[in-house]
Amino acid sequence: QVQLVESGGGLVQAGGSLRLSCAASGRTFSSIGMGWFRQAPGKEREFVATINWSGDRTYYADFVKGRFTISRDNAKNTVYLQMNSLKPEDTAVYYCAASSRGSLYRRADDFRSWGQGTQVTVSS
């Protein structure tokens, strides 16, 4: 099972940017799809973005298209989420997730391993 550790969260003003990182342990990282989810207070966890094993295919939730970019560096066992033009409604705990297969996935059930989450707070 892959172990995941997120970092890069913090407090930022609306319109600002943050880059989240997710470091993965295990030899299988370069062969599995990865994703980012988020959960705001009082709300269910929701899908944000996903990337396939090689990094040449990505998919985003509509509310982040054009603002967020998911990428990965298989040599560093790390997946990133670059977040630009942040809005107060982006405030949430952001979770990194690893699938057991190599494609794109959007459902939480398709991911086997989860990080502990990193808080992102966007002030207005």
Side-chain angles (χ1 to χ4, degrees), residues 36-83:
W36 286 96
F37 288 74
R38 71 184 187 185
Q39 187 167 18
K43 295 188 177 181
E44 294 186 352
R45 187 172 300 189
E46 62 181 355
F47 166 77
V48 175
T50 182
I51 189 167
N52 72 331
W53 68 275
S54 63
D56 62 348
R57 295 174 59 204
T58 58
Y59 185 84
Y60 299 92
D62 286 344
F63 54 79
V64 302
K65 283 181 180 177
R67 300 190 299 126
F68 292 9
T69 302
I70 187 171
S71 62
R72 67 190 296 159
D73 185 339
N74 285 345
K76 296 183 178 180
N77 275 21
T78 302
V79 63
Y80 304 97
L81 185 68
Q82 177 67 44
M83 306 186 295

Side-chain angles (χ1 to χ4, degrees), residues 25-44:
S25 65
R27 299 179 180 178
T28 62
F29 177 81
S30 61
S31 65
I32 59 175
M34 299 292 295
W36 286 96
F37 288 74
R38 71 184 187 185
Q39 187 167 18
K43 295 188 177 181
E44 294 186 352

Side-chain angles (χ1 to χ4, degrees), residues 11 33-34 53 56 66-68 86 103 111 118-119:
L11 173 64
M34 299 292 295
W53 68 275
D56 62 348
R67 300 190 299 126
F68 292 9
L86 283 162
S103 189
F111 293 88
T118 186
Q119 177 70 47

Side-chain angles (χ1 to χ4, degrees), residues 83-106:
M83 306 186 295
N84 299 327
S85 302
L86 283 162
K87 306 175 182 179
E89 51 264 43
D90 293 319
T91 295
V93 177
Y94 283 71
Y95 297 90
C96 173
S99 176
S100 59
R101 296 167 293 173
S103 189
L104 303 174
Y105 305 99
R106 290 176 287 170

